[in-house]
Amino acid sequence: MNFKLFSVALATTALIAVAPAAAEGVKIGILNDQSGVYADYGGKGSVEAAKMAVEDFGGEVLGQKIEIVSADHQNKPDTAVTIARKWFDVDGVDMITELTTSSVALAVQDLAKEKKKIDIVVGAATSRITGDACQPYGFHWAFDTRALAVGTGGALVKAGGDTWFFLTADYAFGYSLEKDTSEIVQANGGKVLGSVRHPLNSSDFSSFLLQAQASKAKVVGLANAGLDTANAIKQAAEFGIVAGGQKMAGLLMTLAEVHGLGLKAAQGLVLTEAYYWDRDDKSREFAERYFKRTQRMPSMIQAGTYSATLSYLKAVKAAGSKDTEAVANKLKELPVDDAFAKGNVQANGRFVHDMYLFEVKKPDESKKPWDYYKQLAVVPGNQAFPAAKDSGCPLTK
């Protein structure tokens, strides 16, 4: 054998031997907080929701088996990027979703752009994901800080809550939620009297709540989430903030936090969500199947993860390939209509769908387990989310 040809053959064989396992099957990674402040918010429940999507799709696509892998990023961007890099480079993961915690989502989205892989953010809120930080293969699914601001902030100002003070989580998500809500409050004629930042996973909100109380603002806006929101609401009750005439606004609250607080503590809170299990026949059917597996009703993060996973698989099938470019194009082309929501995906990767303004029921208004919300209003998708050309995403200019 010609020595040069033999050497080329050996080199080719070696390359094949060390190539990532990307060619085998379709692999989806669920990367989120499974042990910390956001564990109930999405956590292992989101993994279960993704598995439901795979089962509902049929377990395979393009003749290849679909596999779900998952990991706990512990709300640390560096940990998340290390996991995501290994998934992309070594384990052959094709798409990463959920990505609770905005700092994590932004970091993984940058990596996904570098690796030319798809990421679909569900659990993180910052509107930057499809704004100035957008990328060609990045998507944002369930909600964002602007949609929450339009829903809760806009409604409370119109109802007379025209002065605000914010308790803000001290990282990207909190800043974005405070900024977006402040803009909506001011656009509706309200004023922001001040704000204070608190560390993620705080156990003691006393000094922050005292500042909010001293501000005499009509609304105390909680620009935080998960256990931070629940703890702030519990401690606010101890300080008599609501009893003293101020209103607490949970700017990002889900069913999980309301369930953890109980109706006695959470009653009267106004909040905005993309999904509620008891809203219609479609949402109920999915929720009842989810409950049988988890003994809990799904939050909008968990239902959103189901939708994101199912939509990705439909896009792979429609593209006839796992090729990132082709699948990303199909995600932006195909309409979405599932148990979570109905709508379309914009050029910046933003899934546009209706949002819902809810009020938490009083204990005597609840007629069955998990019967927590009464719907106040529908926020149409084109009001909740900006058009792609107005989002600040460089891809749309």
Side-chain angles (χ1 to χ4, degrees):
M1 178 186 279
N2 181 290
F3 181 73
K4 285 185 178 178
L5 288 175
F6 181 67
S7 298
V8 169
L10 277 176
T12 304
T13 304
L15 282 171
I16 292 169
V18 298
E24 295 299 320
V26 174
K27 205 175 272 193
I28 297 168
I30 311 300
L31 186 56
N32 63 2
D33 176 6
Q34 298 181 11
S35 58
V37 65
Y38 302 134
D40 283 345
Y41 166 94
K44 293 179 181 176
S46 289
V47 180
E48 202 61 37
K51 289 178 179 176
M52 287 177 68
V54 171
E55 291 167 18
D56 288 353
F57 191 78
E60 61 176 45
V61 62
L62 308 180
Q64 300 181 62
K65 184 183 175 185
I66 305 161
E67 183 182 350
I68 297 289
V69 296
S70 70
D72 182 352
H73 61 46
Q74 302 170 46
N75 298 308
K76 298 173 182 175
D78 55 344
T79 299
V81 168
T82 299
I83 294 166
R85 191 180 296 279
K86 179 177 180 292
W87 277 0
F88 286 149
D89 291 348
V90 180
D91 300 336
V93 168
D94 300 293
M95 185 272 279
I96 295 177
T97 187
E98 224 275 46
L99 294 168
T100 291
T101 310
S102 291
S103 51
V104 163
L106 290 166
V108 173
Q109 177 146 297
D110 279 347
L111 178 68
K113 179 183 179 182
E114 175 195 325
K115 299 294 180 181
K116 201 176 177 182
K117 294 281 192 174
I118 288 174
D119 71 284
I120 306 179
V121 176
V122 180
T126 179
S127 54
R128 291 188 58 212
I129 291 162
T130 50
D132 68 297
C134 71
Q135 61 107 332
Y137 322 115
F139 297 83
H140 203 179
W141 218 250
F143 66 101
D144 65 21
T145 49
R146 186 183 185 277
L148 299 174
V150 170
T152 309
L156 287 174
V157 175
K158 288 169 187 172
D162 56 4
T163 55
W164 285 63
F165 186 94
F166 290 94
L167 264 65
T168 303
D170 193 9
Y171 74 104
F173 149 65
Y175 312 152
S176 186
L177 187 51
E178 180 186 329
K179 174 181 176 290
D180 287 347
T181 308
S182 296
E183 288 174 358
I184 295 294
V185 167
Q186 290 161 351
N188 283 278
K191 292 181 180 178
V192 176
L193 303 184
S195 67
V196 63
R197 292 177 176 177
H198 68 80
L200 179 65
N201 204 11
S202 293
S203 57
D204 184 3
F205 283 86
S206 55
S207 66
F208 313 123
L209 289 166
L210 285 170
Q211 290 179 63
Q213 197 169 37
S215 76
K216 298 191 174 2
K218 292 178 184 176
V219 180
V220 178
L222 300 175
N224 51 23
L227 285 176
D228 282 340
T229 300
N231 286 335
I233 290 169
K234 285 176 187 173
Q235 290 173 37
E238 294 167 13
F239 282 94
I241 285 178
V242 174
Q246 290 174 291
K247 193 165 189 69
M248 301 287 288
L251 296 171
L252 173 49
M253 281 194 75
T254 72
L255 196 73
E257 289 79 60
V258 173
H259 182 70
L261 281 166
L263 291 183
K264 186 176 179 182
Q267 61 182 310
L269 281 168
V270 175
L271 51 90
T272 301
E273 291 223 49
Y275 169 91
Y276 176 49
W277 74 270
D278 201 19
R279 208 183 66 77
D280 58 26
D281 290 342
K282 230 177 201 179
S283 60
R284 275 189 289 274
E285 187 276 334
F286 168 74
E288 284 160 8
R289 289 194 292 127
Y290 181 90
F291 186 86
K292 286 177 183 175
R293 301 168 73 120
T294 65
Q295 304 308 302
R296 296 174 67 88
M297 287 301 182
S299 70
M300 73 166 162
I301 313 306
Q302 291 148 352
T305 302
Y306 170 87
S307 175
T309 304
L310 193 61
S311 295
Y312 171 76
L313 294 172
K314 288 178 179 177
V316 171
K317 183 180 179 181
S321 165
K322 294 196 300 178
D323 175 73
T324 296
E325 202 87 51
V327 175
N329 288 338
K330 285 296 179 185
L331 274 165
K332 292 171 185 176
E333 178 186 312
L334 298 172
V336 179
D337 187 359
D338 56 34
F340 170 69
K342 181 178 181 178
N344 294 280
V345 180
Q346 297 186 144
N348 62 344
R350 175 69 258 173
F351 175 28
V352 174
H353 50 78
D354 292 346
M355 300 289 290
Y356 305 95
L357 186 70
F358 297 111
E359 184 176 320
V360 179
K361 291 182 174 182
K362 297 174 183 174
D364 62 1
E365 294 174 321
S366 179
K367 305 303 180 192
K368 57 188 174 183
W370 297 88
D371 176 23
Y372 295 160
Y373 293 169
K374 51 186 173 187
Q375 186 174 306
L376 301 180
V378 178
V379 183
N382 61 2
Q383 292 179 25
F385 305 101
K389 65 181 178 62
D390 300 322
S391 66
C393 172
L395 300 175
T396 63
K397 291 180 181 176

